[in-house]
Amino acid sequence: MTTTGPAAVPLVLRDLVEALLRKQCTAVSAQALADALGHPQLSPVCRVLRELEQQGLAVREHGRPWATADQWRAVS
């Protein structure tokens, strides 16, 4: 799942993103999660969030195009 292929994301990053997302009481942007983790690149964090969404562990609240970023929250 996240350990093979050209766009593989380390499982450690996936676990950290999931844990941080679960601790948030409100929806947060991918950038806010990347900043909180001190991760220099946004794309791996976005990839993890999309994987969590596909697995039913996260929900995306779509932002307005060109105005606000999508917000993410953990599924309760």
Short mmCIF file of all heavy atoms in Angstrom, two decimals:
data_model
loop_
_atom_site.label_atom_id
_atom_site.label_comp_id
_atom_site.label_asym_id
_atom_site.label_seq_id
_atom_site.Cartn_x
_atom_site.Cartn_y
_atom_site.Cartn_z
N MET A 1 0.84 -1.18 0.00
CA MET A 1 0.00 0.00 0.00
C MET A 1 0.88 1.24 0.00
O MET A 1 1.01 1.89 -1.02
CB MET A 1 -0.93 -0.09 1.19
CG MET A 1 -1.55 1.19 1.59
SD MET A 1 -2.75 1.18 2.91
CE MET A 1 -2.71 -0.38 3.64
N THR A 2 1.53 1.57 1.08
CA THR A 2 2.34 2.78 1.11
C THR A 2 3.83 2.47 1.13
O THR A 2 4.63 3.35 1.35
CB THR A 2 2.00 3.64 2.34
OG1 THR A 2 2.20 2.85 3.49
CG2 THR A 2 0.59 4.16 2.27
N THR A 3 4.20 1.24 0.90
CA THR A 3 5.61 0.90 0.98
C THR A 3 6.23 0.55 -0.36
O THR A 3 7.42 0.32 -0.44
CB THR A 3 5.83 -0.29 1.94
OG1 THR A 3 5.05 -1.39 1.48
CG2 THR A 3 5.45 0.08 3.36
N THR A 4 5.46 0.47 -1.43
CA THR A 4 6.00 0.12 -2.73
C THR A 4 5.53 1.10 -3.78
O THR A 4 4.58 1.83 -3.58
CB THR A 4 5.58 -1.30 -3.15
OG1 THR A 4 4.16 -1.34 -3.25
CG2 THR A 4 6.07 -2.34 -2.17
N GLY A 5 6.19 1.07 -4.93
CA GLY A 5 5.79 1.92 -6.03
C GLY A 5 6.54 3.23 -6.06
O GLY A 5 7.18 3.62 -5.09
N PRO A 6 6.45 3.93 -7.19
CA PRO A 6 7.20 5.17 -7.35
C PRO A 6 6.73 6.30 -6.45
O PRO A 6 7.48 7.19 -6.12
CB PRO A 6 6.97 5.52 -8.83
CG PRO A 6 5.73 4.82 -9.20
CD PRO A 6 5.67 3.57 -8.36
N ALA A 7 5.47 6.29 -6.03
CA ALA A 7 4.94 7.35 -5.18
C ALA A 7 4.78 6.87 -3.75
O ALA A 7 3.91 7.34 -3.02
CB ALA A 7 3.61 7.82 -5.74
N ALA A 8 5.62 5.94 -3.33
CA ALA A 8 5.49 5.36 -2.00
C ALA A 8 5.74 6.42 -0.92
O ALA A 8 6.60 7.28 -1.05
CB ALA A 8 6.47 4.22 -1.83
N VAL A 9 4.97 6.33 0.14
CA VAL A 9 5.11 7.21 1.29
C VAL A 9 5.53 6.34 2.47
O VAL A 9 4.91 5.30 2.71
CB VAL A 9 3.77 7.92 1.60
CG1 VAL A 9 3.88 8.75 2.85
CG2 VAL A 9 3.35 8.78 0.43
N PRO A 10 6.54 6.74 3.21
CA PRO A 10 6.97 5.94 4.36
C PRO A 10 5.83 5.74 5.36
O PRO A 10 5.05 6.66 5.62
CB PRO A 10 8.09 6.77 4.98
CG PRO A 10 8.54 7.68 3.89
CD PRO A 10 7.35 7.93 3.02
N LEU A 11 5.75 4.54 5.90
CA LEU A 11 4.70 4.24 6.88
C LEU A 11 4.81 5.12 8.11
O LEU A 11 3.80 5.45 8.74
CB LEU A 11 4.75 2.76 7.27
CG LEU A 11 4.29 1.79 6.19
CD1 LEU A 11 4.52 0.35 6.64
CD2 LEU A 11 2.84 2.01 5.84
N VAL A 12 6.02 5.52 8.46
CA VAL A 12 6.20 6.39 9.63
C VAL A 12 5.47 7.72 9.40
O VAL A 12 4.78 8.21 10.28
CB VAL A 12 7.70 6.64 9.90
CG1 VAL A 12 7.90 7.69 10.97
CG2 VAL A 12 8.39 5.34 10.29
N LEU A 13 5.62 8.29 8.20
CA LEU A 13 4.93 9.54 7.90
C LEU A 13 3.42 9.34 7.93
O LEU A 13 2.69 10.17 8.47
CB LEU A 13 5.36 10.08 6.53
CG LEU A 13 4.68 11.37 6.08
CD1 LEU A 13 4.96 12.50 7.07
CD2 LEU A 13 5.14 11.76 4.69
N ARG A 14 2.95 8.23 7.39
CA ARG A 14 1.52 7.94 7.40
C ARG A 14 1.00 7.87 8.83
O ARG A 14 -0.03 8.45 9.16
CB ARG A 14 1.24 6.63 6.67
CG ARG A 14 -0.24 6.30 6.58
CD ARG A 14 -0.46 4.82 6.32
NE ARG A 14 -1.84 4.47 6.29
CZ ARG A 14 -2.61 4.35 7.37
NH1 ARG A 14 -2.13 4.55 8.56
NH2 ARG A 14 -3.88 4.01 7.26
N ASP A 15 1.72 7.17 9.69
CA ASP A 15 1.30 7.04 11.09
C ASP A 15 1.30 8.39 11.80
O ASP A 15 0.40 8.68 12.59
CB ASP A 15 2.20 6.05 11.82
CG ASP A 15 2.02 4.62 11.34
OD1 ASP A 15 1.01 4.33 10.65
OD2 ASP A 15 2.90 3.79 11.64
N LEU A 16 2.30 9.21 11.52
CA LEU A 16 2.38 10.53 12.15
C LEU A 16 1.23 11.43 11.70
O LEU A 16 0.62 12.11 12.52
CB LEU A 16 3.72 11.20 11.84
CG LEU A 16 4.94 10.62 12.53
CD1 LEU A 16 6.21 11.23 11.96
CD2 LEU A 16 4.86 10.86 14.03
N VAL A 17 0.95 11.43 10.41
CA VAL A 17 -0.15 12.25 9.89
C VAL A 17 -1.47 11.79 10.48
O VAL A 17 -2.28 12.61 10.93
CB VAL A 17 -0.19 12.22 8.34
CG1 VAL A 17 -1.47 12.85 7.82
CG2 VAL A 17 1.02 12.92 7.76
N GLU A 18 -1.69 10.49 10.50
CA GLU A 18 -2.95 9.98 11.05
C GLU A 18 -3.09 10.34 12.53
O GLU A 18 -4.15 10.78 12.97
CB GLU A 18 -3.04 8.46 10.86
CG GLU A 18 -4.36 7.90 11.34
CD GLU A 18 -4.49 6.40 11.14
OE1 GLU A 18 -3.51 5.75 10.72
OE2 GLU A 18 -5.59 5.89 11.40
N ALA A 19 -2.04 10.18 13.31
CA ALA A 19 -2.09 10.49 14.74
C ALA A 19 -2.35 11.98 14.96
O ALA A 19 -3.18 12.36 15.81
CB ALA A 19 -0.79 10.07 15.41
N LEU A 20 -1.67 12.82 14.20
CA LEU A 20 -1.86 14.26 14.36
C LEU A 20 -3.26 14.68 13.94
O LEU A 20 -3.90 15.51 14.59
CB LEU A 20 -0.81 15.02 13.54
CG LEU A 20 -0.75 16.52 13.73
CD1 LEU A 20 -0.52 16.89 15.19
CD2 LEU A 20 0.36 17.10 12.87
N LEU A 21 -3.76 14.10 12.88
CA LEU A 21 -5.11 14.42 12.41
C LEU A 21 -6.15 14.03 13.47
O LEU A 21 -7.11 14.75 13.70
CB LEU A 21 -5.38 13.68 11.09
CG LEU A 21 -6.58 14.12 10.27
CD1 LEU A 21 -6.43 15.58 9.86
CD2 LEU A 21 -6.71 13.24 9.05
N ARG A 22 -5.95 12.90 14.12
CA ARG A 22 -6.89 12.45 15.15
C ARG A 22 -6.89 13.36 16.38
O ARG A 22 -7.88 13.44 17.09
CB ARG A 22 -6.58 11.02 15.57
CG ARG A 22 -6.92 10.03 14.48
CD ARG A 22 -6.95 8.61 15.00
NE ARG A 22 -7.36 7.70 13.96
CZ ARG A 22 -8.61 7.53 13.55
NH1 ARG A 22 -9.57 8.22 14.09
NH2 ARG A 22 -8.88 6.67 12.59
N LYS A 23 -5.77 14.04 16.64
CA LYS A 23 -5.68 14.92 17.80
C LYS A 23 -6.35 16.27 17.58
O LYS A 23 -6.59 17.00 18.53
CB LYS A 23 -4.21 15.14 18.18
CG LYS A 23 -3.56 13.93 18.78
CD LYS A 23 -2.14 14.22 19.18
CE LYS A 23 -1.51 12.97 19.76
NZ LYS A 23 -0.14 13.23 20.21
N GLN A 24 -6.63 16.61 16.33
CA GLN A 24 -7.22 17.91 16.02
C GLN A 24 -8.72 17.89 16.31
O GLN A 24 -9.41 16.95 15.95
CB GLN A 24 -7.00 18.26 14.54
CG GLN A 24 -5.55 18.28 14.13
CD GLN A 24 -4.72 19.24 14.94
OE1 GLN A 24 -5.09 20.39 15.12
NE2 GLN A 24 -3.59 18.77 15.44
N CYS A 25 -9.22 18.95 16.93
CA CYS A 25 -10.65 19.02 17.21
C CYS A 25 -11.42 19.69 16.07
O CYS A 25 -12.64 19.62 16.03
CB CYS A 25 -10.91 19.71 18.54
SG CYS A 25 -10.20 21.35 18.65
N THR A 26 -10.71 20.34 15.17
CA THR A 26 -11.34 20.94 14.00
C THR A 26 -10.58 20.48 12.75
O THR A 26 -9.47 19.96 12.84
CB THR A 26 -11.29 22.48 14.06
OG1 THR A 26 -9.93 22.90 14.11
CG2 THR A 26 -12.04 23.01 15.26
N ALA A 27 -11.19 20.69 11.59
CA ALA A 27 -10.54 20.32 10.34
C ALA A 27 -9.32 21.22 10.12
O ALA A 27 -9.32 22.39 10.49
CB ALA A 27 -11.52 20.47 9.18
N VAL A 28 -8.27 20.65 9.53
CA VAL A 28 -7.03 21.39 9.30
C VAL A 28 -6.57 21.19 7.85
O VAL A 28 -6.94 20.22 7.20
CB VAL A 28 -5.90 20.93 10.25
CG1 VAL A 28 -6.22 21.28 11.68
CG2 VAL A 28 -5.63 19.45 10.11
N SER A 29 -5.75 22.10 7.37
CA SER A 29 -5.23 22.00 6.01
C SER A 29 -4.03 21.06 5.99
O SER A 29 -3.38 20.82 7.01
CB SER A 29 -4.82 23.37 5.49
OG SER A 29 -3.69 23.84 6.19
N ALA A 30 -3.72 20.57 4.80
CA ALA A 30 -2.54 19.73 4.64
C ALA A 30 -1.28 20.52 4.99
O ALA A 30 -0.34 19.98 5.58
CB ALA A 30 -2.47 19.21 3.21
N GLN A 31 -1.26 21.80 4.66
CA GLN A 31 -0.11 22.65 4.97
C GLN A 31 0.09 22.75 6.48
O GLN A 31 1.21 22.70 6.97
CB GLN A 31 -0.26 24.04 4.36
CG GLN A 31 0.94 24.94 4.57
CD GLN A 31 2.17 24.42 3.86
OE1 GLN A 31 2.15 24.24 2.65
NE2 GLN A 31 3.24 24.16 4.59
N ALA A 32 -1.00 22.90 7.22
CA ALA A 32 -0.90 22.99 8.68
C ALA A 32 -0.33 21.69 9.26
O ALA A 32 0.48 21.72 10.19
CB ALA A 32 -2.27 23.29 9.29
N LEU A 33 -0.75 20.54 8.71
CA LEU A 33 -0.21 19.26 9.16
C LEU A 33 1.27 19.15 8.83
O LEU A 33 2.08 18.72 9.67
CB LEU A 33 -0.98 18.11 8.54
CG LEU A 33 -2.40 17.90 9.03
CD1 LEU A 33 -3.11 16.88 8.16
CD2 LEU A 33 -2.41 17.47 10.48
N ALA A 34 1.66 19.54 7.61
CA ALA A 34 3.07 19.48 7.22
C ALA A 34 3.91 20.39 8.11
O ALA A 34 5.00 20.00 8.55
CB ALA A 34 3.22 19.88 5.76
N ASP A 35 3.40 21.58 8.42
CA ASP A 35 4.12 22.51 9.29
C ASP A 35 4.26 21.93 10.70
O ASP A 35 5.33 22.02 11.31
CB ASP A 35 3.40 23.85 9.36
CG ASP A 35 3.49 24.62 8.05
OD1 ASP A 35 4.31 24.26 7.17
OD2 ASP A 35 2.71 25.59 7.90
N ALA A 36 3.19 21.34 11.22
CA ALA A 36 3.22 20.76 12.57
C ALA A 36 4.21 19.60 12.66
O ALA A 36 4.84 19.40 13.69
CB ALA A 36 1.83 20.30 12.98
N LEU A 37 4.34 18.86 11.56
CA LEU A 37 5.28 17.74 11.54
C LEU A 37 6.70 18.18 11.22
O LEU A 37 7.64 17.39 11.32
CB LEU A 37 4.84 16.70 10.51
CG LEU A 37 3.56 15.95 10.82
CD1 LEU A 37 3.11 15.16 9.61
CD2 LEU A 37 3.76 15.05 12.02
N GLY A 38 6.86 19.42 10.80
CA GLY A 38 8.16 19.91 10.38
C GLY A 38 8.62 19.26 9.09
O GLY A 38 9.80 19.11 8.83
N HIS A 39 7.66 18.85 8.27
CA HIS A 39 7.98 18.17 7.01
C HIS A 39 8.20 19.23 5.94
O HIS A 39 7.36 20.10 5.73
CB HIS A 39 6.84 17.23 6.60
CG HIS A 39 7.28 16.17 5.66
ND1 HIS A 39 7.39 16.40 4.31
CD2 HIS A 39 7.67 14.90 5.86
CE1 HIS A 39 7.82 15.30 3.72
NE2 HIS A 39 8.00 14.38 4.64
N PRO A 40 9.33 19.17 5.24
CA PRO A 40 9.66 20.23 4.28
C PRO A 40 8.84 20.22 3.00
O PRO A 40 8.75 21.23 2.32
CB PRO A 40 11.14 19.97 3.96
CG PRO A 40 11.31 18.50 4.19
CD PRO A 40 10.38 18.17 5.33
N GLN A 41 8.21 19.10 2.65
CA GLN A 41 7.45 19.01 1.42
C GLN A 41 5.99 18.71 1.70
O GLN A 41 5.67 17.89 2.56
CB GLN A 41 8.02 17.94 0.51
CG GLN A 41 9.43 18.23 0.04
CD GLN A 41 9.96 17.13 -0.85
OE1 GLN A 41 9.49 16.01 -0.82
NE2 GLN A 41 10.95 17.47 -1.66
N LEU A 42 5.13 19.36 0.95
CA LEU A 42 3.68 19.19 1.15
C LEU A 42 3.13 17.96 0.43
O LEU A 42 2.22 17.31 0.92
CB LEU A 42 2.96 20.45 0.65
CG LEU A 42 1.46 20.51 0.83
CD1 LEU A 42 1.09 20.41 2.31
CD2 LEU A 42 0.93 21.80 0.25
N SER A 43 3.69 17.60 -0.73
CA SER A 43 3.10 16.53 -1.54
C SER A 43 3.04 15.17 -0.84
O SER A 43 2.03 14.47 -0.97
CB SER A 43 3.79 16.41 -2.90
OG SER A 43 5.16 16.15 -2.75
N PRO A 44 4.05 14.74 -0.07
CA PRO A 44 3.89 13.45 0.64
C PRO A 44 2.77 13.48 1.67
O PRO A 44 2.05 12.49 1.85
CB PRO A 44 5.25 13.23 1.30
CG PRO A 44 6.20 14.06 0.53
CD PRO A 44 5.41 15.24 0.07
N VAL A 45 2.59 14.61 2.33
CA VAL A 45 1.51 14.74 3.31
C VAL A 45 0.16 14.66 2.61
O VAL A 45 -0.75 13.98 3.08
CB VAL A 45 1.66 16.05 4.12
CG1 VAL A 45 0.46 16.26 5.03
CG2 VAL A 45 2.94 16.03 4.93
N CYS A 46 0.04 15.31 1.46
CA CYS A 46 -1.21 15.24 0.68
C CYS A 46 -1.48 13.81 0.23
O CYS A 46 -2.63 13.36 0.25
CB CYS A 46 -1.14 16.17 -0.52
SG CYS A 46 -1.17 17.91 -0.09
N ARG A 47 -0.42 13.12 -0.18
CA ARG A 47 -0.58 11.73 -0.62
C ARG A 47 -1.11 10.86 0.53
O ARG A 47 -2.00 10.04 0.35
CB ARG A 47 0.77 11.19 -1.10
CG ARG A 47 0.66 10.43 -2.37
CD ARG A 47 2.02 9.98 -2.91
NE ARG A 47 2.71 11.11 -3.51
CZ ARG A 47 3.97 11.46 -3.25
NH1 ARG A 47 4.70 10.77 -2.41
NH2 ARG A 47 4.52 12.49 -3.84
N VAL A 48 -0.57 11.07 1.72
CA VAL A 48 -1.02 10.32 2.90
C VAL A 48 -2.49 10.64 3.18
O VAL A 48 -3.28 9.73 3.46
CB VAL A 48 -0.15 10.63 4.13
CG1 VAL A 48 -0.79 10.11 5.40
CG2 VAL A 48 1.25 10.06 3.95
N LEU A 49 -2.85 11.90 3.12
CA LEU A 49 -4.24 12.28 3.39
C LEU A 49 -5.20 11.64 2.39
O LEU A 49 -6.27 11.17 2.77
CB LEU A 49 -4.38 13.81 3.38
CG LEU A 49 -3.76 14.52 4.57
CD1 LEU A 49 -3.68 16.02 4.31
CD2 LEU A 49 -4.53 14.22 5.85
N ARG A 50 -4.81 11.59 1.13
CA ARG A 50 -5.67 10.94 0.13
C ARG A 50 -5.78 9.44 0.39
O ARG A 50 -6.85 8.85 0.22
CB ARG A 50 -5.14 11.22 -1.28
CG ARG A 50 -5.39 12.66 -1.73
CD ARG A 50 -5.11 12.86 -3.19
NE ARG A 50 -3.75 12.53 -3.57
CZ ARG A 50 -2.71 13.37 -3.54
NH1 ARG A 50 -2.89 14.61 -3.15
NH2 ARG A 50 -1.50 12.97 -3.91
N GLU A 51 -4.69 8.81 0.83
CA GLU A 51 -4.74 7.38 1.18
C GLU A 51 -5.68 7.16 2.36
O GLU A 51 -6.48 6.22 2.35
CB GLU A 51 -3.35 6.87 1.56
CG GLU A 51 -2.43 6.65 0.39
CD GLU A 51 -1.08 6.12 0.82
OE1 GLU A 51 -0.93 5.71 2.00
OE2 GLU A 51 -0.17 6.11 -0.01
N LEU A 52 -5.57 8.01 3.37
CA LEU A 52 -6.45 7.88 4.54
C LEU A 52 -7.91 8.09 4.14
O LEU A 52 -8.80 7.41 4.64
CB LEU A 52 -6.04 8.89 5.62
CG LEU A 52 -4.69 8.63 6.29
CD1 LEU A 52 -4.34 9.79 7.22
CD2 LEU A 52 -4.68 7.30 7.04
N GLU A 53 -8.14 9.00 3.20
CA GLU A 53 -9.50 9.23 2.71
C GLU A 53 -10.03 7.98 2.00
O GLU A 53 -11.17 7.57 2.21
CB GLU A 53 -9.51 10.42 1.76
CG GLU A 53 -10.88 10.76 1.21
CD GLU A 53 -10.86 11.93 0.24
OE1 GLU A 53 -9.86 12.07 -0.51
OE2 GLU A 53 -11.83 12.68 0.24
N GLN A 54 -9.21 7.36 1.17
CA GLN A 54 -9.61 6.16 0.45
C GLN A 54 -9.90 5.01 1.41
O GLN A 54 -10.75 4.16 1.14
CB GLN A 54 -8.53 5.74 -0.54
CG GLN A 54 -8.42 6.66 -1.72
CD GLN A 54 -7.25 6.31 -2.62
OE1 GLN A 54 -6.39 5.50 -2.25
NE2 GLN A 54 -7.20 6.92 -3.79
N GLN A 55 -9.21 4.97 2.54
CA GLN A 55 -9.40 3.91 3.52
C GLN A 55 -10.53 4.22 4.49
O GLN A 55 -10.83 3.42 5.38
CB GLN A 55 -8.10 3.69 4.30
CG GLN A 55 -6.97 3.19 3.43
CD GLN A 55 -5.63 3.25 4.15
OE1 GLN A 55 -5.55 3.58 5.32
NE2 GLN A 55 -4.58 2.93 3.43
N GLY A 56 -11.14 5.38 4.34
CA GLY A 56 -12.25 5.75 5.22
C GLY A 56 -11.82 6.26 6.58
O GLY A 56 -12.62 6.31 7.50
N LEU A 57 -10.56 6.69 6.70
CA LEU A 57 -10.04 7.16 7.98
C LEU A 57 -9.99 8.68 8.08
O LEU A 57 -9.75 9.23 9.16
CB LEU A 57 -8.64 6.58 8.22
CG LEU A 57 -8.56 5.06 8.28
CD1 LEU A 57 -7.11 4.61 8.34
CD2 LEU A 57 -9.36 4.53 9.45
N ALA A 58 -10.18 9.36 6.96
CA ALA A 58 -10.16 10.82 6.93
C ALA A 58 -11.23 11.32 5.97
O ALA A 58 -11.61 10.62 5.04
CB ALA A 58 -8.79 11.34 6.50
N VAL A 59 -11.69 12.54 6.23
CA VAL A 59 -12.70 13.17 5.39
C VAL A 59 -12.15 14.52 4.93
O VAL A 59 -11.61 15.28 5.73
CB VAL A 59 -14.02 13.37 6.16
CG1 VAL A 59 -15.02 14.15 5.34
CG2 VAL A 59 -14.59 12.04 6.59
N ARG A 60 -12.33 14.79 3.64
CA ARG A 60 -11.90 16.07 3.09
C ARG A 60 -13.10 17.00 2.98
O ARG A 60 -14.14 16.64 2.46
CB ARG A 60 -11.30 15.86 1.70
CG ARG A 60 -10.83 17.13 1.06
CD ARG A 60 -10.39 17.01 -0.38
NE ARG A 60 -10.04 15.69 -0.81
CZ ARG A 60 -9.30 15.43 -1.87
NH1 ARG A 60 -8.82 16.42 -2.59
NH2 ARG A 60 -9.05 14.20 -2.24
N GLU A 61 -12.94 18.20 3.48
CA GLU A 61 -13.94 19.26 3.32
C GLU A 61 -13.37 20.20 2.26
O GLU A 61 -12.39 20.90 2.52
CB GLU A 61 -14.19 19.97 4.64
CG GLU A 61 -14.73 19.03 5.71
CD GLU A 61 -14.80 19.67 7.08
OE1 GLU A 61 -14.47 20.87 7.23
OE2 GLU A 61 -15.17 18.94 8.02
N HIS A 62 -13.95 20.18 1.07
CA HIS A 62 -13.40 20.93 -0.05
C HIS A 62 -13.45 22.44 0.19
O HIS A 62 -14.47 22.97 0.59
CB HIS A 62 -14.14 20.59 -1.34
CG HIS A 62 -13.95 19.16 -1.75
ND1 HIS A 62 -12.82 18.73 -2.42
CD2 HIS A 62 -14.69 18.05 -1.53
CE1 HIS A 62 -12.90 17.43 -2.62
NE2 HIS A 62 -14.03 16.99 -2.10
N GLY A 63 -12.32 23.08 -0.07
CA GLY A 63 -12.24 24.53 0.01
C GLY A 63 -12.72 25.15 -1.29
O GLY A 63 -13.04 24.45 -2.25
N ARG A 64 -12.77 26.45 -1.32
CA ARG A 64 -13.16 27.15 -2.55
C ARG A 64 -11.96 27.22 -3.48
O ARG A 64 -10.86 27.59 -3.04
CB ARG A 64 -13.64 28.56 -2.22
CG ARG A 64 -14.93 28.56 -1.43
CD ARG A 64 -15.49 29.96 -1.26
NE ARG A 64 -14.48 30.99 -1.45
CZ ARG A 64 -14.31 32.03 -0.65
NH1 ARG A 64 -15.08 32.19 0.40
NH2 ARG A 64 -13.40 32.94 -0.91
N PRO A 65 -12.12 26.88 -4.74
CA PRO A 65 -10.99 26.93 -5.68
C PRO A 65 -10.33 28.31 -5.71
O PRO A 65 -11.00 29.33 -5.75
CB PRO A 65 -11.65 26.62 -7.03
CG PRO A 65 -12.90 25.90 -6.69
CD PRO A 65 -13.36 26.47 -5.38
N TRP A 66 -9.03 28.32 -5.65
CA TRP A 66 -8.18 29.51 -5.70
C TRP A 66 -8.36 30.42 -4.49
O TRP A 66 -7.81 31.50 -4.46
CB TRP A 66 -8.41 30.31 -6.98
CG TRP A 66 -8.30 29.49 -8.21
CD1 TRP A 66 -9.32 29.08 -9.02
CD2 TRP A 66 -7.12 28.91 -8.76
NE1 TRP A 66 -8.84 28.31 -10.04
CE2 TRP A 66 -7.48 28.19 -9.90
CE3 TRP A 66 -5.78 28.93 -8.39
CZ2 TRP A 66 -6.56 27.50 -10.67
CZ3 TRP A 66 -4.88 28.23 -9.18
CH2 TRP A 66 -5.26 27.54 -10.30
N ALA A 67 -9.16 30.03 -3.51
CA ALA A 67 -9.39 30.91 -2.36
C ALA A 67 -8.97 30.26 -1.05
O ALA A 67 -8.24 30.86 -0.27
CB ALA A 67 -10.85 31.32 -2.30
N THR A 68 -9.43 29.04 -0.80
CA THR A 68 -9.10 28.37 0.45
C THR A 68 -8.70 26.93 0.18
O THR A 68 -9.18 26.31 -0.76
CB THR A 68 -10.29 28.38 1.43
OG1 THR A 68 -11.40 27.74 0.82
CG2 THR A 68 -10.67 29.79 1.84
N ALA A 69 -7.83 26.43 1.00
CA ALA A 69 -7.36 25.05 0.87
C ALA A 69 -8.41 24.07 1.39
O ALA A 69 -9.24 24.42 2.22
CB ALA A 69 -6.07 24.87 1.66
N ASP A 70 -8.33 22.83 0.89
CA ASP A 70 -9.16 21.78 1.45
C ASP A 70 -8.80 21.58 2.91
O ASP A 70 -7.65 21.76 3.30
CB ASP A 70 -8.94 20.47 0.71
CG ASP A 70 -9.46 20.47 -0.73
OD1 ASP A 70 -10.22 21.41 -1.06
OD2 ASP A 70 -9.11 19.56 -1.48
N GLN A 71 -9.79 21.24 3.69
CA GLN A 71 -9.58 20.96 5.11
C GLN A 71 -9.79 19.47 5.35
O GLN A 71 -10.65 18.87 4.71
CB GLN A 71 -10.55 21.78 5.97
CG GLN A 71 -10.41 23.28 5.78
CD GLN A 71 -9.13 23.82 6.37
OE1 GLN A 71 -8.85 23.61 7.54
NE2 GLN A 71 -8.34 24.49 5.56
N TRP A 72 -9.06 18.91 6.27
CA TRP A 72 -9.12 17.48 6.56
C TRP A 72 -9.44 17.25 8.02
O TRP A 72 -9.04 18.02 8.89
CB TRP A 72 -7.77 16.84 6.23
CG TRP A 72 -7.41 16.91 4.80
CD1 TRP A 72 -6.78 17.94 4.16
CD2 TRP A 72 -7.66 15.92 3.81
NE1 TRP A 72 -6.63 17.64 2.84
CE2 TRP A 72 -7.15 16.40 2.59
CE3 TRP A 72 -8.25 14.66 3.84
CZ2 TRP A 72 -7.21 15.68 1.41
CZ3 TRP A 72 -8.31 13.93 2.67
CH2 TRP A 72 -7.80 14.44 1.48
N ARG A 73 -10.18 16.19 8.28
CA ARG A 73 -10.45 15.78 9.65
C ARG A 73 -10.50 14.25 9.71
O ARG A 73 -10.78 13.59 8.72
CB ARG A 73 -11.74 16.39 10.18
CG ARG A 73 -12.98 16.00 9.45
CD ARG A 73 -14.23 16.67 10.05
NE ARG A 73 -15.38 16.38 9.22
CZ ARG A 73 -16.06 15.24 9.26
NH1 ARG A 73 -15.73 14.32 10.12
NH2 ARG A 73 -17.10 15.06 8.47
N ALA A 74 -10.23 13.72 10.87
CA ALA A 74 -10.28 12.27 11.06
C ALA A 74 -11.74 11.84 11.19
O ALA A 74 -12.59 12.59 11.67
CB ALA A 74 -9.51 11.87 12.32
N VAL A 75 -12.01 10.63 10.76
CA VAL A 75 -13.34 10.07 10.92
C VAL A 75 -13.49 9.63 12.37
O VAL A 75 -12.60 8.97 12.92
CB VAL A 75 -13.54 8.88 9.95
CG1 VAL A 75 -14.85 8.17 10.23
CG2 VAL A 75 -13.48 9.36 8.52
N SER A 76 -14.56 10.00 12.97
CA SER A 76 -14.78 9.67 14.39
C SER A 76 -15.17 8.22 14.57
O SER A 76 -15.83 7.63 13.80
CB SER A 76 -15.88 10.53 14.96
OG SER A 76 -15.59 11.88 14.80
#
